[in-house]
């Protein structure tokens, strides 16, 4: 008897079918990957299992007993737990307080915190989930916060853990450590459902794979019998081009042919930034010319966000200058820089890219409020705005019922496409893009990269910031590395690129020189 059985689950939102007749079995001590593109229905299916949504039809069986309409609280009590892609922790509380939040421990409302911390520390050691009980969550890295989320479930006795895109925000080293944790959970008899689109991790960690596409189950197979090519084809429904060096189009002004006489589209000279007595940027100098992509590699947290926001105008540097096309933009705000041709795709699409409680048309208008035809004397022209958003939905293949759909209801990949459509509208001359494919499946990532290449080949200067070295190598004309707020010398991304040298720079072994 399976630990969990989902039978013929169906769920619709308006006219959109998110899950169409899906059946899945999960055994105890099994890691099952739920694989598919963004928008394939993976998270919706698991939200039904966890009790956040109610299925339109179908049945759920837990340990052989039917699980009718239920809430997340009832799921947790039964032994089901879920870690969401966007963590649900209270930053100002400690690890221990977050783990026990909402529980009536012995001595409630004044439990013995030392005993609770000792139990939590023992659980951490058992599963290799290093998370100091007394540490404030705000001080933890994303990888450490994820461990806290998993500890919350284990502390509550979860037998089946649902993990939604658990490695989307992790560095490669953190992701490797996380996969080791999954194997420990399996060894202790826990079942795990891994919602993901990362094929390499599925093949490394999973026992069985269920592939969803367009809300339907298209395949179910053992991980040992699967290949990356087969899984990619099943996810996308077609062959996906392998990532390779993004060469210039015939009409593109190649980086190798630009002249010293032409001013850089974007130039930073000795930019420094300090916050709370800590230096975030240490004399950053770089140039990006029209028709090239300068890739900024490095592990997250080394000043990349601060660099992007200094260019955008969200942060004012303590010294140095930022110039667009030879003209200083010091003192100009975000809107003024946008009018000069700057587009920005942020690394956090929920916090900085979208207003989730607004619809697609309203989000698309955020950068177009003063565009002729969209704004009247007092109010926005809603019909023209809807038409512009509908055109973006069509051109960018955004899966939504229409411009009035809520941005919150879109998958991560479709949210990123919406941001990209908005920012690239009007053919900007400078594009700053940070972590553009983080959390996206292979199809959505391919689409985003193609749009960036198109803008470069049309003459835009693109500053690409990414922790994904493969992405940097695939897209960039030149590559520089950020480490502890310093920027290395840029290297030409050609056949002579020294990957060993690049690795040393990422480890901090290199002098800071203009890029």
């Amino acid at each position: 008897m399976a630990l969990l059985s989902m039978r013929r689950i169906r769920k619709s939102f308006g006219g959109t079918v998110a899950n169409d007749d899906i059946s899945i079995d999960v055994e105890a001590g099994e890691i099952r990957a739920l694989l598919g593109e963004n928008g394939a229905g993976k998270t919706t299916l698991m939200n039904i299992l966890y009790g956040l949504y109610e299925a339109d039809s179908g049945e759920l069986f837990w340990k052989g007993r039917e699980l009718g309409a239920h809430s997340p609280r009832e799921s947790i009590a039964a032994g089901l737990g879920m870690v969401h892609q966007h963590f649900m922790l209270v930053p100002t509380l400690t690890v221990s307080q977050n783990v026990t939040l909402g529980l009536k421990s012995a001595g409630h409302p004044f439990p013995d915190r030392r005993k609770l911390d000792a139990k939590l520390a023992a659980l951490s050691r058992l599963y290799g989930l290093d998370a100091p009980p007394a540490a404030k969550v705000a001080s933890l890295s994303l990888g450490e916060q994820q461990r806290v989320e998993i500890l919350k479930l284990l502390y509550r006795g979860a037998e089946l853990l649902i993990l939604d895109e658990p490695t989307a925000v992790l560095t490669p080293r953190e992701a490797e450590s996380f996969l080791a944790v999954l194997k420990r959970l399996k060894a202790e008899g826990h079942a795990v459902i891994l919602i993901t689109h990362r094929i390499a991790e599925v093949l490394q960690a999973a026992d069985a794979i269920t592939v969803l596409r367009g809300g339907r189950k298209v395949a179910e197979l053992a991980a040992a019998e699967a290949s990356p090519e087969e899984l990619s084809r099943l996810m996308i429904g077609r062959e996906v081009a392998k990532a390779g060096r993004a060469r210039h189009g015939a009409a593109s002004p190649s980086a190798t042919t630009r002249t010293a006489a032409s001013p850089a589209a974007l130039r930073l000279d000795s930019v420094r930034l300090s916050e709370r007595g800590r230096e975030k940027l240490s004399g950053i100098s770089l140039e990006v010319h029209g028709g090239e992509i300068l890739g900024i590699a490095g592990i997250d947290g080394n000043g990349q966000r601060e660099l992007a926001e200094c260019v955008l105008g969200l942060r004012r540097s303590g010294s140095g200058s930022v110039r667009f096309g030879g003209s200083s933009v010091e003192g100009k705000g975000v809107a003024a820089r946008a009018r000069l041709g700057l587009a920005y795709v942020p690394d956090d699409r929920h916090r900085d890219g979208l207003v989730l409680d607004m619809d697609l048309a309203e989000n698309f208008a955020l950068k177009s409020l003063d565009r002729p035809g969209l704004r009247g004397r007092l109010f926005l022209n809603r019909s023209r705005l809807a038409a512009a958003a509908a055109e973006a939905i069509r051109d960018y293949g955004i899966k939504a019922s229409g411009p009035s759909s809520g941005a919150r209801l879109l998958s991560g990949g479709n949210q990123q496409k919406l941001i990209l459509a908005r920012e690239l509208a009007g053919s900007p001359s400078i594009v700053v893009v940070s972590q553009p494919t983080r959390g996206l499946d292979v199809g959505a990532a391919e689409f985003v990269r193609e749009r960036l290449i198109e803008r470069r080949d049309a003459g835009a200067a693109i500053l690409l910031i990414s922790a994904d070295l493969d992405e940097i190598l695939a897209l960039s004309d030149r590559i520089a590395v950020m480490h502890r707020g310093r920027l290395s010398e840029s290297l030409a991304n050609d056949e002579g690129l020294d990957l060993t040298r690049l690795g040393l720079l990422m480890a901090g072994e290199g002098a800071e020189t203009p890029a």
Side-chain angles (χ1 to χ4, degrees):
M1 179 182 65
L3 180 69
L4 167 73
S5 292
M6 305 184 76
R7 290 282 172 265
R8 307 194 67 145
I9 301 298
R10 183 178 176 85
K11 179 67 177 177
S12 297
F13 296 96
T16 303
V17 178
N19 294 147
D20 189 3
D21 199 36
I22 298 176
S23 297
I24 295 177
D25 288 333
V26 180
E27 305 289 342
E30 173 186 80
I31 299 175
R32 175 167 292 271
L34 197 56
L35 187 66
E37 288 188 279
N38 295 105
K42 309 184 299 296
T43 300
T44 297
L45 185 66
M46 290 300 101
N47 281 338
I48 290 171
L49 173 59
Y50 188 54
L52 287 171
Y53 295 158
E54 185 175 350
D56 297 335
S57 61
E59 298 173 307
L60 297 172
F61 294 92
W62 174 247
K63 297 181 179 179
R65 299 182 62 181
E66 186 171 1
L67 192 63
H70 60 290
S71 66
R73 181 184 292 274
E74 291 167 327
S75 294
I76 292 169
L80 292 158
M82 185 169 181
V83 176
H84 302 271
Q85 185 174 356
H86 299 280
F87 303 147
M88 297 185 177
L89 300 171
V90 182
T92 55
L93 298 184
T94 66
V95 169
S96 176
Q97 290 166 335
N98 268 279
V99 169
T100 59
L101 190 64
L103 296 178
K104 290 188 176 181
S105 306
H108 178 81
F110 303 107
D112 187 332
R113 186 57 61 181
R114 285 179 300 177
K115 287 185 178 180
L116 294 178
D117 288 357
K119 179 181 176 181
L120 184 57
L123 201 61
S124 298
R125 289 192 297 271
L126 176 62
Y127 292 101
L129 293 164
D130 183 26
K136 289 283 182 68
V137 163
S139 70
L140 303 181
S141 70
L142 289 171
E144 291 170 326
Q145 289 180 36
Q146 186 181 70
R147 293 174 208 157
V148 177
E149 287 280 24
I150 295 174
L151 280 171
K152 280 171 59 179
L153 302 187
L154 296 175
Y155 193 89
R156 288 162 169 74
E159 297 176 61
L160 186 149
L161 289 78
I162 306 163
L163 308 177
D164 191 358
E165 299 287 0
T167 62
V169 296
L170 303 187
T171 66
R173 182 175 294 180
E174 287 175 330
E176 186 177 332
S177 174
F178 169 77
L179 295 179
V181 169
L182 288 189
K183 292 175 183 177
R184 287 194 187 96
L185 290 169
K186 174 186 172 181
E188 292 292 328
H190 294 277
V192 176
I193 298 179
L194 183 63
I195 306 173
T196 187
H197 60 263
R198 298 192 171 188
I199 293 172
E201 293 171 1
V202 165
L203 293 175
Q204 185 177 347
D207 301 301
I209 304 168
T210 298
V211 184
L212 302 187
R213 187 173 73 239
R216 296 185 64 86
K217 183 171 81 172
V218 296
E220 197 166 69
L221 63 166
E225 300 171 356
S227 69
E229 295 77 16
E230 180 185 16
L231 292 178
S232 178
R233 179 182 56 78
L234 288 169
M235 281 176 60
I236 309 300
R238 59 179 173 81
E239 299 294 335
V240 177
K242 292 184 178 180
R245 181 76 176 86
R247 300 298 180 190
H248 283 272
S252 168
S254 169
T256 60
T257 63
R258 67 178 187 266
T259 66
S262 62
L266 171 65
R267 180 187 176 104
L268 276 66
D269 288 304
S270 302
V271 171
R272 294 183 178 274
L273 174 69
S274 295
E275 290 182 351
R276 298 177 182 175
R278 182 180 175 187
E279 195 166 50
K280 297 287 189 178
L281 299 177
S282 303
I284 298 293
S285 296
L286 62 81
E287 288 186 352
V288 193
H289 286 252
E292 76 163 345
I293 298 176
L294 173 62
I296 305 296
I299 297 170
D300 273 350
N302 278 282
Q304 294 96 324
R305 175 187 283 268
E306 290 81 1
L307 170 62
E309 293 183 351
C310 275
V311 176
L312 183 66
L314 276 175
R315 296 176 188 253
R316 296 292 178 89
S317 58
S319 63
S321 66
V322 179
R323 305 177 75 86
F324 289 3
S327 300
S328 173
V329 293
E330 293 300 319
K332 295 184 184 296
V334 175
R337 296 187 191 200
R339 285 193 292 270
L340 291 173
L342 176 66
Y344 178 52
V345 179
D347 60 351
D348 190 331
R349 51 184 168 265
H350 284 185
R351 191 184 76 171
D352 301 323
L354 298 169
V355 181
L356 294 176
D357 291 328
M358 288 166 52
D359 63 30
L360 273 62
E362 291 166 335
N363 272 280
F364 186 74
L366 290 177
K367 200 177 177 183
S368 310
L369 295 178
D370 56 355
R371 187 189 299 178
L374 292 185
R375 184 174 182 175
R377 294 179 62 183
L378 296 175
F379 303 104
L380 289 173
N381 187 316
R382 295 289 305 188
S383 61
R384 290 184 181 178
L385 178 58
E391 183 178 359
I393 290 170
R394 182 183 67 249
D395 292 348
Y396 279 76
I398 299 169
K399 295 178 181 176
S401 58
S404 60
S405 296
R408 188 181 297 279
L409 299 178
L410 295 182
S411 68
N414 286 304
Q415 289 175 345
Q416 190 75 337
K417 287 181 179 181
L418 176 61
I419 295 170
L420 204 65
R422 181 187 69 211
E423 294 301 314
L424 297 187
S427 301
S429 56
I430 303 170
V431 181
V432 177
V433 55
S434 186
Q435 316 297 349
T437 61
R438 173 175 282 171
L440 304 191
D441 57 69
V442 291
E446 178 189 43
F447 180 91
V448 168
R449 290 170 181 168
E450 286 174 351
R451 298 293 81 74
L452 294 177
I453 292 166
E454 284 178 3
R455 286 306 313 143
R456 179 205 65 184
D457 288 350
I462 298 179
L463 183 65
L464 168 66
I465 300 170
S466 180
D468 185 340
L469 186 55
D470 288 337
E471 180 166 74
I472 291 285
L473 291 170
L475 293 178
S476 305
D477 298 294
R478 292 183 296 127
I479 301 172
V481 175
M482 283 204 76
H483 182 76
R484 294 186 177 178
R486 296 181 179 272
L487 192 65
S488 76
E489 174 188 8
S490 68
L491 305 173
N493 187 15
D494 53 24
E495 289 76 6
L497 178 64
D498 186 344
L499 293 177
T500 301
R501 166 73 172 152
L502 197 60
L504 289 172
L505 289 171
M506 293 179 72
E509 300 293 332
E512 172 234 344
T513 54

